[in-house]
């Protein structure tokens, strides 16, 4: 048991972080309401998620609802937002995402403290993350990061606890959380190998942690993928092809957009089939996208132009953003 003074010292930074976070996001929520939630739809692919939600809401029968559910790709990309949106509109979505983010910032505080033992460093790290642009903006938009990133941090916290204590309970919690995140952002299936790599290059964990990490990371990677693979099987069966739908998150569509952006910026004419087919909200239509070989063909035909474009993007990503 902690003594009264020690407990107070431990709770003070937590209270500071929660107070700052609550005040900052309260101001931003007031801004959202005052501007009729226009920023809510400004996130990446927000219109696609709102289209998916509108289709589910407009369904009058269970068959129509299931048909709409089987039309928009990765289920976690929009379905959890749909649940909150139905009961409370944009405001409830924002409140839930802000709540998750504040909890994740506390988890980040404890992660830093677990790894370094430094209270001051933990406070600085948590407040820095709280005030980063994406931390301020994304909870107020209908974007998958608003839900996925907090659960990603929760899973990392559980995994570090597992490495330090050897308690399989923490491992199971971490696997469950990552399974949830993978349903939202499939790329996060790479998390457990990354967790293992983190453990191998840091000295912060207890004796035998490297063996536990390597042994369970491989198991966890497979188990965490199961819910997503089940969804892929269901969705593909319903649509008669191996697919997660025709959305702007697909590789083919993003390669096509990339070729189009670079070509238009440099006056390069493209064949007609290279131009994406979209509706009024830039939602990709069936058949949209190019193959990897077509993309590589365009790159190899203009290597210096693409190299300049990628260098520019890297500069924007690391400095301007």
């Amino acid at each position: 048991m902690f003594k009264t003074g020690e407990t107070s010292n431990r709770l003070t930074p937590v209270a500071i972080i929660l107070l700052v976070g609550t005040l900052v996001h309260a101001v931003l929520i007031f801004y959202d309401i005052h501007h009729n939630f226009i920023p809510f739809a400004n996130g990446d692919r927000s219109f696609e998620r709102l289209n998916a939600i509108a289709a589910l809401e407009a369904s009058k029968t269970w068959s129509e609802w299931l048909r709409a559910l089987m039309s928009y790709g990765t289920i976690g990309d929009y379905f959890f937002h749909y649940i909150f949106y139905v009961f409370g509109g944009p405001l409830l979505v924002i409140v839930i995402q802000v709540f998750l983010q504040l909890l994740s910032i506390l988890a980040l505080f404890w992660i830093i403290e677990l790894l370094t033992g430094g209270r001051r460093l933990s406070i600085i790290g948590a407040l820095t993350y709280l005030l980063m642009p994406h931390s301020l903006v994304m909870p107020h938009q209908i974007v998958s990061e608003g839900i996925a990133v907090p659960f990603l941090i929760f899973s990392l916290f559980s995994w570090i606890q597992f490495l330090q204590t050897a308690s399989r309970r923490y491992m199971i919690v971490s696997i469950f959380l990552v399974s949830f995140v993978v349903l939202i952002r499939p790329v996060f299936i790479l998390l457990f190998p990354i967790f293992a790599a983190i453990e191998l290059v840091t000295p912060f964990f207890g004796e035998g942690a490297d063996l536990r990490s390597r042994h369970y990371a491989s198991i966890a990677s497979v188990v965490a993928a199961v819910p997503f693979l089940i969804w892929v099987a269901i969705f593909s069966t319903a649509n008669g092809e191996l697919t997660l739908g025709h959305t702007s998150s697909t590789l083919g569509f993003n390669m096509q957009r990339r070729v189009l952006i670079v070509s238009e910026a440099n006056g390069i004419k493209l064949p007609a089939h290279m131009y994406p087919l979209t509706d009024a909200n830039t939602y990709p239509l069936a058949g949209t996208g190019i193959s990897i070989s077509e993309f590589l063909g365009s790159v190899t035909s203009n290597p210096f132009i693409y190299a300049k474009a990628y260098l520019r993007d890297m500069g924007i990503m690391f400095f301007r953003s």
Side-chain angles (χ1 to χ4, degrees):
M1 296 292 293
F2 296 114
K3 296 179 181 179
T4 303
E6 187 178 350
T7 302
S8 177
N9 289 336
R10 291 181 65 85
L11 292 178
T12 298
V14 171
I16 293 172
I17 294 167
L18 286 177
L19 178 62
V20 173
T22 301
L23 289 175
V24 168
H25 284 289
V27 171
L28 293 176
I29 288 174
F30 176 79
Y31 178 89
D32 292 331
I33 296 172
H34 181 70
H35 289 81
N36 199 29
F37 295 103
I38 291 176
F40 184 70
N42 285 343
D44 181 39
R45 299 180 54 242
S46 290
F47 276 114
E48 289 185 33
R49 295 184 185 91
L50 290 171
N51 283 345
I53 290 171
L56 290 170
E57 284 189 306
S59 302
K60 297 179 180 179
T61 64
W62 275 108
S63 61
E64 288 183 3
W65 189 86
L66 288 173
R67 190 158 52 248
L69 188 68
M70 294 296 164
S71 301
Y72 288 91
T74 306
I75 187 169
D77 190 44
Y78 64 91
F79 188 73
F80 303 115
H81 286 111
Y82 161 70
I83 295 173
F84 305 136
Y85 194 93
V86 166
F87 288 102
L91 180 59
L92 182 59
V93 174
I94 291 170
V95 169
I96 293 293
Q97 291 186 151
V98 167
F99 175 72
L100 289 174
Q101 196 213 43
L102 292 178
L103 287 183
S104 71
I105 290 170
L106 292 183
L108 180 63
F109 167 82
W110 287 316
I111 288 171
I112 299 172
E113 190 174 45
L114 282 170
L115 295 180
T116 68
R119 178 61 55 83
R120 183 176 299 176
L121 187 61
S122 302
I123 297 173
I124 293 173
L127 289 177
T128 299
Y129 182 76
L130 168 65
L131 298 174
M132 290 178 70
H134 76 274
S135 298
L136 296 175
V137 173
M138 286 184 175
H140 298 263
Q141 297 177 331
I142 183 167
V143 292
S144 58
E145 289 89 347
I147 297 177
V149 173
F151 280 95
L152 179 63
I153 295 174
F154 301 152
S155 69
L156 178 59
F157 174 74
S158 297
W159 190 255
I160 291 174
Q161 290 279 27
F162 158 64
L163 291 175
Q164 291 195 323
T165 65
S167 171
R168 295 185 183 182
R169 176 184 59 193
Y170 288 115
M171 182 193 70
I172 292 171
V173 169
S174 187
I175 292 173
F176 173 79
L177 292 172
V178 173
S179 297
F180 179 75
V181 172
V182 170
L183 277 174
I184 302 172
R185 304 280 294 214
V187 69
F188 287 131
I189 194 60
L190 300 173
L191 274 179
F192 282 107
I194 292 173
F195 288 177
I198 291 173
E199 188 280 326
L200 290 174
V201 299
T202 55
F204 302 113
F205 305 107
E207 185 178 352
D210 59 333
L211 180 62
R212 290 197 300 271
S213 179
R214 287 195 297 267
H215 180 66
Y216 289 114
S218 57
I219 299 174
S221 297
V222 175
V223 175
V226 170
F228 174 70
L229 294 177
I230 291 173
W231 170 251
V232 171
I234 294 172
F235 189 86
S236 298
T237 301
N239 286 276
E241 61 176 322
L242 183 59
T243 179
L244 277 176
H246 301 282
T247 72
S248 65
S249 65
T250 61
L251 178 62
F253 182 75
N254 278 280
M255 290 191 299
Q256 189 173 32
R257 286 183 63 186
R258 185 62 178 164
V259 169
L260 182 63
I261 290 170
V262 173
S263 299
E264 286 188 343
N266 292 276
I268 301 172
K269 291 186 178 181
L270 297 171
H273 75 278
M274 297 287 278
Y275 289 88
L277 304 172
T278 62
D279 67 10
N281 289 322
T282 67
Y283 191 85
L285 302 178
T288 294
I290 61 175
S291 66
I292 294 177
S293 60
E294 286 178 309
F295 176 74
L296 292 177
S298 180
V299 172
T300 54
S301 298
N302 305 279
F304 295 108
I305 289 176
Y306 276 88
K308 185 177 78 171
Y310 279 108
L311 287 173
R312 178 178 177 275
D313 288 349
M314 288 175 62
I316 293 173
M317 177 67 71
F318 288 104
F319 298 104
R320 184 174 173 183
S321 295

